PDB file of all heavy atoms in Angstrom:
ATOM      1  N   ALA A   1      -7.293   0.420  -9.626  1.00 96.00           N
ATOM      2  CA  ALA A   1      -8.474   0.475 -10.460  1.00 96.00           C
ATOM      3  C   ALA A   1      -8.469   1.481 -11.586  1.00 96.00           C
ATOM      4  O   ALA A   1      -9.047   1.375 -12.588  1.00 96.00           O
ATOM      5  CB  ALA A   1      -9.720   0.809  -9.536  1.00 96.00           C
ATOM      6  N   LEU A   2      -7.638   2.565 -11.330  1.00 96.00           N
ATOM      7  CA  LEU A   2      -7.641   3.683 -12.208  1.00 96.00           C
ATOM      8  C   LEU A   2      -6.342   3.947 -12.872  1.00 96.00           C
ATOM      9  O   LEU A   2      -6.016   5.027 -13.421  1.00 96.00           O
ATOM     10  CB  LEU A   2      -8.114   4.946 -11.428  1.00 96.00           C
ATOM     11  CG  LEU A   2      -9.528   4.818 -10.906  1.00 96.00           C
ATOM     12  CD1 LEU A   2      -9.822   5.958  -9.868  1.00 96.00           C
ATOM     13  CD2 LEU A   2     -10.573   4.938 -12.034  1.00 96.00           C
ATOM     14  N   GLY A   3      -5.475   2.932 -12.997  1.00 92.00           N
ATOM     15  CA  GLY A   3      -4.370   2.931 -13.936  1.00 92.00           C
ATOM     16  C   GLY A   3      -3.093   3.488 -13.484  1.00 92.00           C
ATOM     17  O   GLY A   3      -2.216   3.838 -14.273  1.00 92.00           O
ATOM     18  N   ALA A   4      -2.866   3.764 -12.149  1.00 96.00           N
ATOM     19  CA  ALA A   4      -1.544   4.140 -11.683  1.00 96.00           C
ATOM     20  C   ALA A   4      -0.544   3.016 -11.887  1.00 96.00           C
ATOM     21  O   ALA A   4      -0.845   1.861 -11.642  1.00 96.00           O
ATOM     22  CB  ALA A   4      -1.603   4.670 -10.259  1.00 96.00           C
ATOM     23  N   ASP A   5       0.638   3.349 -12.261  1.00 97.00           N
ATOM     24  CA  ASP A   5       1.661   2.353 -12.527  1.00 97.00           C
ATOM     25  C   ASP A   5       2.425   1.964 -11.229  1.00 97.00           C
ATOM     26  O   ASP A   5       2.929   0.885 -11.102  1.00 97.00           O
ATOM     27  CB  ASP A   5       2.643   2.819 -13.508  1.00 97.00           C
ATOM     28  CG  ASP A   5       2.083   3.171 -14.830  1.00 97.00           C
ATOM     29  OD1 ASP A   5       1.392   2.272 -15.430  1.00 97.00           O
ATOM     30  OD2 ASP A   5       2.138   4.332 -15.326  1.00 97.00           O
ATOM     31  N   ALA A   6       2.463   2.836 -10.298  1.00 98.00           N
ATOM     32  CA  ALA A   6       3.168   2.587  -9.025  1.00 98.00           C
ATOM     33  C   ALA A   6       2.722   3.619  -7.971  1.00 98.00           C
ATOM     34  O   ALA A   6       2.147   4.645  -8.251  1.00 98.00           O
ATOM     35  CB  ALA A   6       4.693   2.662  -9.269  1.00 98.00           C
ATOM     36  N   VAL A   7       3.104   3.253  -6.717  1.00 98.00           N
ATOM     37  CA  VAL A   7       2.849   4.218  -5.575  1.00 98.00           C
ATOM     38  C   VAL A   7       4.080   4.389  -4.803  1.00 98.00           C
ATOM     39  O   VAL A   7       4.855   3.416  -4.527  1.00 98.00           O
ATOM     40  CB  VAL A   7       1.727   3.619  -4.626  1.00 98.00           C
ATOM     41  CG1 VAL A   7       1.495   4.478  -3.477  1.00 98.00           C
ATOM     42  CG2 VAL A   7       0.418   3.400  -5.387  1.00 98.00           C
ATOM     43  N   LEU A   8       4.407   5.618  -4.474  1.00 98.00           N
ATOM     44  CA  LEU A   8       5.530   5.925  -3.609  1.00 98.00           C
ATOM     45  C   LEU A   8       5.089   6.416  -2.261  1.00 98.00           C
ATOM     46  O   LEU A   8       4.180   7.229  -2.211  1.00 98.00           O
ATOM     47  CB  LEU A   8       6.370   7.030  -4.260  1.00 98.00           C
ATOM     48  CG  LEU A   8       6.817   6.771  -5.716  1.00 98.00           C
ATOM     49  CD1 LEU A   8       7.623   7.938  -6.223  1.00 98.00           C
ATOM     50  CD2 LEU A   8       7.606   5.437  -5.841  1.00 98.00           C
ATOM     51  N   VAL A   9       5.650   5.924  -1.183  1.00 98.00           N
ATOM     52  CA  VAL A   9       5.224   6.327   0.149  1.00 98.00           C
ATOM     53  C   VAL A   9       6.366   6.867   0.929  1.00 98.00           C
ATOM     54  O   VAL A   9       7.481   6.316   0.810  1.00 98.00           O
ATOM     55  CB  VAL A   9       4.483   5.180   0.881  1.00 98.00           C
ATOM     56  CG1 VAL A   9       3.280   4.709   0.123  1.00 98.00           C
ATOM     57  CG2 VAL A   9       5.401   3.984   1.152  1.00 98.00           C
ATOM     58  N   SER A  10       6.189   7.896   1.691  1.00 97.00           N
ATOM     59  CA  SER A  10       7.163   8.425   2.508  1.00 97.00           C
ATOM     60  C   SER A  10       7.572   7.563   3.663  1.00 97.00           C
ATOM     61  O   SER A  10       6.885   6.654   3.998  1.00 97.00           O
ATOM     62  CB  SER A  10       6.775   9.852   3.000  1.00 97.00           C
ATOM     63  OG  SER A  10       5.750   9.750   3.994  1.00 97.00           O
ATOM     64  N   GLU A  11       8.733   7.883   4.282  1.00 95.00           N
ATOM     65  CA  GLU A  11       9.198   7.082   5.379  1.00 95.00           C
ATOM     66  C   GLU A  11       8.205   7.015   6.571  1.00 95.00           C
ATOM     67  O   GLU A  11       8.072   5.975   7.254  1.00 95.00           O
ATOM     68  CB  GLU A  11      10.531   7.619   5.910  1.00 95.00           C
ATOM     69  CG  GLU A  11      11.703   7.357   4.958  1.00 95.00           C
ATOM     70  CD  GLU A  11      12.181   5.910   4.979  1.00 95.00           C
ATOM     71  OE1 GLU A  11      11.637   5.107   5.779  1.00 95.00           O
ATOM     72  OE2 GLU A  11      13.033   5.539   4.213  1.00 95.00           O
ATOM     73  N   ARG A  12       7.487   8.161   6.806  1.00 94.00           N
ATOM     74  CA  ARG A  12       6.590   8.223   7.944  1.00 94.00           C
ATOM     75  C   ARG A  12       5.120   7.780   7.601  1.00 94.00           C
ATOM     76  O   ARG A  12       4.291   7.914   8.364  1.00 94.00           O
ATOM     77  CB  ARG A  12       6.595   9.625   8.558  1.00 94.00           C
ATOM     78  CG  ARG A  12       8.006   9.964   9.147  1.00 94.00           C
ATOM     79  CD  ARG A  12       7.911  11.248   9.986  1.00 94.00           C
ATOM     80  NE  ARG A  12       7.503  12.440   9.144  1.00 94.00           N
ATOM     81  CZ  ARG A  12       7.284  13.629   9.582  1.00 94.00           C
ATOM     82  NH1 ARG A  12       7.485  13.851  10.877  1.00 94.00           N
ATOM     83  NH2 ARG A  12       7.065  14.578   8.793  1.00 94.00           N
ATOM     84  N   CYS A  13       4.937   7.436   6.350  1.00 96.00           N
ATOM     85  CA  CYS A  13       3.571   6.979   5.894  1.00 96.00           C
ATOM     86  C   CYS A  13       3.263   5.663   6.502  1.00 96.00           C
ATOM     87  O   CYS A  13       4.075   4.772   6.734  1.00 96.00           O
ATOM     88  CB  CYS A  13       3.511   6.946   4.402  1.00 96.00           C
ATOM     89  SG  CYS A  13       1.890   6.610   3.622  1.00 96.00           S
ATOM     90  N   ALA A  14       1.987   5.455   6.852  1.00 93.00           N
ATOM     91  CA  ALA A  14       1.518   4.165   7.416  1.00 93.00           C
ATOM     92  C   ALA A  14       1.829   3.022   6.443  1.00 93.00           C
ATOM     93  O   ALA A  14       1.943   3.205   5.232  1.00 93.00           O
ATOM     94  CB  ALA A  14      -0.018   4.213   7.621  1.00 93.00           C
ATOM     95  N   ASP A  15       2.136   1.889   7.032  1.00 93.00           N
ATOM     96  CA  ASP A  15       2.548   0.715   6.343  1.00 93.00           C
ATOM     97  C   ASP A  15       1.491   0.165   5.341  1.00 93.00           C
ATOM     98  O   ASP A  15       0.378  -0.293   5.839  1.00 93.00           O
ATOM     99  CB  ASP A  15       2.951  -0.371   7.347  1.00 93.00           C
ATOM    100  CG  ASP A  15       3.479  -1.630   6.721  1.00 93.00           C
ATOM    101  OD1 ASP A  15       3.771  -1.678   5.534  1.00 93.00           O
ATOM    102  OD2 ASP A  15       3.624  -2.638   7.473  1.00 93.00           O
ATOM    103  N   PRO A  16       1.751   0.169   4.061  1.00 95.00           N
ATOM    104  CA  PRO A  16       0.812  -0.488   3.091  1.00 95.00           C
ATOM    105  C   PRO A  16       0.482  -1.875   3.378  1.00 95.00           C
ATOM    106  O   PRO A  16      -0.554  -2.447   3.007  1.00 95.00           O
ATOM    107  CB  PRO A  16       1.461  -0.276   1.716  1.00 95.00           C
ATOM    108  CG  PRO A  16       2.344   0.922   1.928  1.00 95.00           C
ATOM    109  CD  PRO A  16       2.890   0.783   3.351  1.00 95.00           C
ATOM    110  N   LEU A  17       1.461  -2.594   4.068  1.00 94.00           N
ATOM    111  CA  LEU A  17       1.245  -4.028   4.306  1.00 94.00           C
ATOM    112  C   LEU A  17       0.732  -4.358   5.639  1.00 94.00           C
ATOM    113  O   LEU A  17       0.680  -5.474   6.073  1.00 94.00           O
ATOM    114  CB  LEU A  17       2.562  -4.803   4.088  1.00 94.00           C
ATOM    115  CG  LEU A  17       3.046  -4.930   2.590  1.00 94.00           C
ATOM    116  CD1 LEU A  17       4.310  -5.715   2.534  1.00 94.00           C
ATOM    117  CD2 LEU A  17       1.972  -5.442   1.642  1.00 94.00           C
ATOM    118  N   TYR A  18       0.349  -3.311   6.451  1.00 93.00           N
ATOM    119  CA  TYR A  18      -0.326  -3.543   7.731  1.00 93.00           C
ATOM    120  C   TYR A  18      -1.704  -4.196   7.391  1.00 93.00           C
ATOM    121  O   TYR A  18      -2.324  -3.913   6.333  1.00 93.00           O
ATOM    122  CB  TYR A  18      -0.457  -2.267   8.518  1.00 93.00           C
ATOM    123  CG  TYR A  18      -1.260  -2.428   9.785  1.00 93.00           C
ATOM    124  CD1 TYR A  18      -0.708  -3.207  10.814  1.00 93.00           C
ATOM    125  CD2 TYR A  18      -2.538  -1.903   9.988  1.00 93.00           C
ATOM    126  CE1 TYR A  18      -1.432  -3.363  11.996  1.00 93.00           C
ATOM    127  CE2 TYR A  18      -3.263  -2.064  11.109  1.00 93.00           C
ATOM    128  CZ  TYR A  18      -2.663  -2.807  12.166  1.00 93.00           C
ATOM    129  OH  TYR A  18      -3.356  -2.937  13.378  1.00 93.00           O
ATOM    130  N   ARG A  19      -2.194  -5.025   8.279  1.00 90.00           N
ATOM    131  CA  ARG A  19      -3.354  -5.846   7.968  1.00 90.00           C
ATOM    132  C   ARG A  19      -4.545  -4.998   7.533  1.00 90.00           C
ATOM    133  O   ARG A  19      -5.291  -5.357   6.584  1.00 90.00           O
ATOM    134  CB  ARG A  19      -3.775  -6.592   9.276  1.00 90.00           C
ATOM    135  CG  ARG A  19      -5.026  -7.428   9.155  1.00 90.00           C
ATOM    136  CD  ARG A  19      -5.351  -8.196  10.421  1.00 90.00           C
ATOM    137  NE  ARG A  19      -5.613  -7.195  11.498  1.00 90.00           N
ATOM    138  CZ  ARG A  19      -6.751  -6.711  11.801  1.00 90.00           C
ATOM    139  NH1 ARG A  19      -7.817  -6.967  11.091  1.00 90.00           N
ATOM    140  NH2 ARG A  19      -6.903  -5.849  12.808  1.00 90.00           N
ATOM    141  N   ARG A  20      -4.825  -3.874   8.158  1.00 90.00           N
ATOM    142  CA  ARG A  20      -6.008  -3.103   7.751  1.00 90.00           C
ATOM    143  C   ARG A  20      -5.788  -2.453   6.346  1.00 90.00           C
ATOM    144  O   ARG A  20      -6.773  -2.342   5.668  1.00 90.00           O
ATOM    145  CB  ARG A  20      -6.168  -1.935   8.836  1.00 90.00           C
ATOM    146  CG  ARG A  20      -6.663  -2.462  10.264  1.00 90.00           C
ATOM    147  CD  ARG A  20      -7.956  -3.075  10.181  1.00 90.00           C
ATOM    148  NE  ARG A  20      -9.022  -2.165   9.719  1.00 90.00           N
ATOM    149  CZ  ARG A  20      -9.669  -1.345  10.541  1.00 90.00           C
ATOM    150  NH1 ARG A  20      -9.331  -1.263  11.846  1.00 90.00           N
ATOM    151  NH2 ARG A  20     -10.675  -0.594  10.058  1.00 90.00           N
ATOM    152  N   SER A  21      -4.538  -2.058   6.056  1.00 94.00           N
ATOM    153  CA  SER A  21      -4.336  -1.477   4.736  1.00 94.00           C
ATOM    154  C   SER A  21      -4.562  -2.527   3.670  1.00 94.00           C
ATOM    155  O   SER A  21      -5.208  -2.295   2.586  1.00 94.00           O
ATOM    156  CB  SER A  21      -2.811  -1.009   4.633  1.00 94.00           C
ATOM    157  OG  SER A  21      -2.534  -0.041   5.590  1.00 94.00           O
ATOM    158  N   VAL A  22      -4.076  -3.770   3.896  1.00 94.00           N
ATOM    159  CA  VAL A  22      -4.245  -4.834   2.928  1.00 94.00           C
ATOM    160  C   VAL A  22      -5.675  -5.155   2.714  1.00 94.00           C
ATOM    161  O   VAL A  22      -6.147  -5.325   1.627  1.00 94.00           O
ATOM    162  CB  VAL A  22      -3.398  -6.079   3.353  1.00 94.00           C
ATOM    163  CG1 VAL A  22      -3.708  -7.196   2.349  1.00 94.00           C
ATOM    164  CG2 VAL A  22      -1.918  -5.768   3.410  1.00 94.00           C
ATOM    165  N   LYS A  23      -6.408  -5.220   3.875  1.00 91.00           N
ATOM    166  CA  LYS A  23      -7.867  -5.587   3.843  1.00 91.00           C
ATOM    167  C   LYS A  23      -8.628  -4.560   3.071  1.00 91.00           C
ATOM    168  O   LYS A  23      -9.432  -4.830   2.221  1.00 91.00           O
ATOM    169  CB  LYS A  23      -8.315  -5.727   5.282  1.00 91.00           C
ATOM    170  CG  LYS A  23      -9.820  -6.140   5.350  1.00 91.00           C
ATOM    171  CD  LYS A  23     -10.246  -6.259   6.772  1.00 91.00           C
ATOM    172  CE  LYS A  23     -11.714  -6.512   6.910  1.00 91.00           C
ATOM    173  NZ  LYS A  23     -12.192  -6.697   8.285  1.00 91.00           N
ATOM    174  N   VAL A  24      -8.448  -3.225   3.430  1.00 94.00           N
ATOM    175  CA  VAL A  24      -9.213  -2.158   2.789  1.00 94.00           C
ATOM    176  C   VAL A  24      -8.894  -2.063   1.286  1.00 94.00           C
ATOM    177  O   VAL A  24      -9.755  -1.785   0.458  1.00 94.00           O
ATOM    178  CB  VAL A  24      -8.922  -0.830   3.458  1.00 94.00           C
ATOM    179  CG1 VAL A  24      -9.501   0.349   2.677  1.00 94.00           C
ATOM    180  CG2 VAL A  24      -9.517  -0.829   4.840  1.00 94.00           C
ATOM    181  N   SER A  25      -7.683  -2.438   0.974  1.00 94.00           N
ATOM    182  CA  SER A  25      -7.327  -2.379  -0.516  1.00 94.00           C
ATOM    183  C   SER A  25      -7.774  -3.577  -1.310  1.00 94.00           C
ATOM    184  O   SER A  25      -7.664  -3.571  -2.497  1.00 94.00           O
ATOM    185  CB  SER A  25      -5.697  -2.307  -0.610  1.00 94.00           C
ATOM    186  OG  SER A  25      -5.216  -3.596  -0.430  1.00 94.00           O
ATOM    187  N   THR A  26      -8.419  -4.508  -0.632  1.00 91.00           N
ATOM    188  CA  THR A  26      -8.850  -5.813  -1.218  1.00 91.00           C
ATOM    189  C   THR A  26      -7.668  -6.534  -1.855  1.00 91.00           C
ATOM    190  O   THR A  26      -7.768  -7.210  -2.850  1.00 91.00           O
ATOM    191  CB  THR A  26      -9.974  -5.691  -2.178  1.00 91.00           C
ATOM    192  OG1 THR A  26      -9.596  -4.833  -3.293  1.00 91.00           O
ATOM    193  CG2 THR A  26     -11.259  -4.994  -1.599  1.00 91.00           C
ATOM    194  N   GLY A  27      -6.489  -6.322  -1.253  1.00 91.00           N
ATOM    195  CA  GLY A  27      -5.280  -6.995  -1.703  1.00 91.00           C
ATOM    196  C   GLY A  27      -4.563  -6.316  -2.849  1.00 91.00           C
ATOM    197  O   GLY A  27      -3.545  -6.818  -3.325  1.00 91.00           O
ATOM    198  N   THR A  28      -5.046  -5.155  -3.224  1.00 94.00           N
ATOM    199  CA  THR A  28      -4.380  -4.544  -4.409  1.00 94.00           C
ATOM    200  C   THR A  28      -3.045  -3.931  -4.040  1.00 94.00           C
ATOM    201  O   THR A  28      -2.192  -3.687  -4.904  1.00 94.00           O
ATOM    202  CB  THR A  28      -5.294  -3.385  -4.936  1.00 94.00           C
ATOM    203  OG1 THR A  28      -5.639  -2.454  -3.912  1.00 94.00           O
ATOM    204  CG2 THR A  28      -6.468  -3.882  -5.617  1.00 94.00           C
ATOM    205  N   VAL A  29      -2.703  -3.792  -2.738  1.00 95.00           N
ATOM    206  CA  VAL A  29      -1.396  -3.363  -2.321  1.00 95.00           C
ATOM    207  C   VAL A  29      -0.349  -4.448  -2.736  1.00 95.00           C
ATOM    208  O   VAL A  29       0.850  -4.203  -2.747  1.00 95.00           O
ATOM    209  CB  VAL A  29      -1.229  -3.109  -0.821  1.00 95.00           C
ATOM    210  CG1 VAL A  29      -2.136  -1.924  -0.402  1.00 95.00           C
ATOM    211  CG2 VAL A  29      -1.547  -4.327   0.019  1.00 95.00           C
ATOM    212  N   LEU A  30      -0.866  -5.647  -2.972  1.00 94.00           N
ATOM    213  CA  LEU A  30      -0.012  -6.788  -3.359  1.00 94.00           C
ATOM    214  C   LEU A  30       0.275  -6.815  -4.897  1.00 94.00           C
ATOM    215  O   LEU A  30       1.094  -7.609  -5.393  1.00 94.00           O
ATOM    216  CB  LEU A  30      -0.617  -8.079  -2.859  1.00 94.00           C
ATOM    217  CG  LEU A  30      -1.078  -8.090  -1.418  1.00 94.00           C
ATOM    218  CD1 LEU A  30      -1.784  -9.402  -1.114  1.00 94.00           C
ATOM    219  CD2 LEU A  30       0.115  -7.893  -0.511  1.00 94.00           C
ATOM    220  N   GLN A  31      -0.471  -6.011  -5.638  1.00 91.00           N
ATOM    221  CA  GLN A  31      -0.312  -6.082  -7.117  1.00 91.00           C
ATOM    222  C   GLN A  31       0.219  -4.794  -7.639  1.00 91.00           C
ATOM    223  O   GLN A  31       0.824  -4.819  -8.742  1.00 91.00           O
ATOM    224  CB  GLN A  31      -1.655  -6.446  -7.815  1.00 91.00           C
ATOM    225  CG  GLN A  31      -2.646  -5.351  -7.748  1.00 91.00           C
ATOM    226  CD  GLN A  31      -4.028  -5.779  -8.297  1.00 91.00           C
ATOM    227  OE1 GLN A  31      -4.621  -6.697  -7.894  1.00 91.00           O
ATOM    228  NE2 GLN A  31      -4.435  -5.098  -9.449  1.00 91.00           N
ATOM    229  N   VAL A  32       0.020  -3.642  -6.948  1.00 95.00           N
ATOM    230  CA  VAL A  32       0.577  -2.323  -7.499  1.00 95.00           C
ATOM    231  C   VAL A  32       2.034  -2.199  -6.984  1.00 95.00           C
ATOM    232  O   VAL A  32       2.252  -2.324  -5.760  1.00 95.00           O
ATOM    233  CB  VAL A  32      -0.302  -1.263  -7.007  1.00 95.00           C
ATOM    234  CG1 VAL A  32       0.287   0.126  -7.486  1.00 95.00           C
ATOM    235  CG2 VAL A  32      -1.745  -1.335  -7.479  1.00 95.00           C
ATOM    236  N   PRO A  33       2.949  -2.032  -7.860  1.00 96.00           N
ATOM    237  CA  PRO A  33       4.351  -1.818  -7.449  1.00 96.00           C
ATOM    238  C   PRO A  33       4.431  -0.622  -6.499  1.00 96.00           C
ATOM    239  O   PRO A  33       3.825   0.445  -6.783  1.00 96.00           O
ATOM    240  CB  PRO A  33       5.159  -1.637  -8.678  1.00 96.00           C
ATOM    241  CG  PRO A  33       4.266  -2.237  -9.751  1.00 96.00           C
ATOM    242  CD  PRO A  33       2.867  -2.010  -9.353  1.00 96.00           C
ATOM    243  N   TRP A  34       5.221  -0.709  -5.482  1.00 97.00           N
ATOM    244  CA  TRP A  34       5.421   0.445  -4.599  1.00 97.00           C
ATOM    245  C   TRP A  34       6.794   0.310  -3.866  1.00 97.00           C
ATOM    246  O   TRP A  34       7.349  -0.746  -3.811  1.00 97.00           O
ATOM    247  CB  TRP A  34       4.269   0.508  -3.528  1.00 97.00           C
ATOM    248  CG  TRP A  34       4.292  -0.585  -2.484  1.00 97.00           C
ATOM    249  CD1 TRP A  34       3.725  -1.827  -2.617  1.00 97.00           C
ATOM    250  CD2 TRP A  34       4.809  -0.527  -1.149  1.00 97.00           C
ATOM    251  NE1 TRP A  34       3.975  -2.550  -1.451  1.00 97.00           N
ATOM    252  CE2 TRP A  34       4.590  -1.731  -0.571  1.00 97.00           C
ATOM    253  CE3 TRP A  34       5.447   0.502  -0.460  1.00 97.00           C
ATOM    254  CZ2 TRP A  34       5.019  -1.991   0.742  1.00 97.00           C
ATOM    255  CZ3 TRP A  34       5.900   0.196   0.846  1.00 97.00           C
ATOM    256  CH2 TRP A  34       5.634  -1.039   1.408  1.00 97.00           C
ATOM    257  N   THR A  35       7.190   1.496  -3.386  1.00 97.00           N
ATOM    258  CA  THR A  35       8.396   1.518  -2.544  1.00 97.00           C
ATOM    259  C   THR A  35       8.407   2.783  -1.718  1.00 97.00           C
ATOM    260  O   THR A  35       7.485   3.649  -1.876  1.00 97.00           O
ATOM    261  CB  THR A  35       9.701   1.445  -3.378  1.00 97.00           C
ATOM    262  OG1 THR A  35      10.766   1.064  -2.542  1.00 97.00           O
ATOM    263  CG2 THR A  35       9.971   2.783  -4.126  1.00 97.00           C
ATOM    264  N   ARG A  36       9.377   2.956  -0.821  1.00 97.00           N
ATOM    265  CA  ARG A  36       9.419   4.092   0.034  1.00 97.00           C
ATOM    266  C   ARG A  36      10.485   5.061  -0.455  1.00 97.00           C
ATOM    267  O   ARG A  36      11.507   4.609  -1.119  1.00 97.00           O
ATOM    268  CB  ARG A  36       9.741   3.724   1.484  1.00 97.00           C
ATOM    269  CG  ARG A  36       8.580   3.049   2.176  1.00 97.00           C
ATOM    270  CD  ARG A  36       8.783   3.015   3.725  1.00 97.00           C
ATOM    271  NE  ARG A  36       7.747   2.324   4.457  1.00 97.00           N
ATOM    272  CZ  ARG A  36       6.602   2.911   4.798  1.00 97.00           C
ATOM    273  NH1 ARG A  36       6.382   4.219   4.691  1.00 97.00           N
ATOM    274  NH2 ARG A  36       5.632   2.186   5.418  1.00 97.00           N
TER     275      ARG A  36
END
């Protein structure tokens, strides 16, 4: 929503693609580029 180009997550960070993460994000985890 606020213009970040990408998200970086640490190895021990919770999974962005876990069902609750995807749901709370309203699917935006599927459009914002990210990696670990």
Side-chain angles (χ1 to χ4, degrees):
L2 297 167
D5 301 303
V7 178
L8 308 179
V9 299
S10 68
E11 287 287 354
R12 295 190 297 177
C13 188
D15 183 11
L17 291 183
Y18 178 65
R19 179 180 62 87
R20 294 295 299 276
S21 301
V22 177
K23 180 180 177 181
V24 169
S25 80
T26 64
T28 54
V29 298
L30 311 174
Q31 72 184 60
V32 179
W34 69 276
T35 197
R36 288 195 183 272

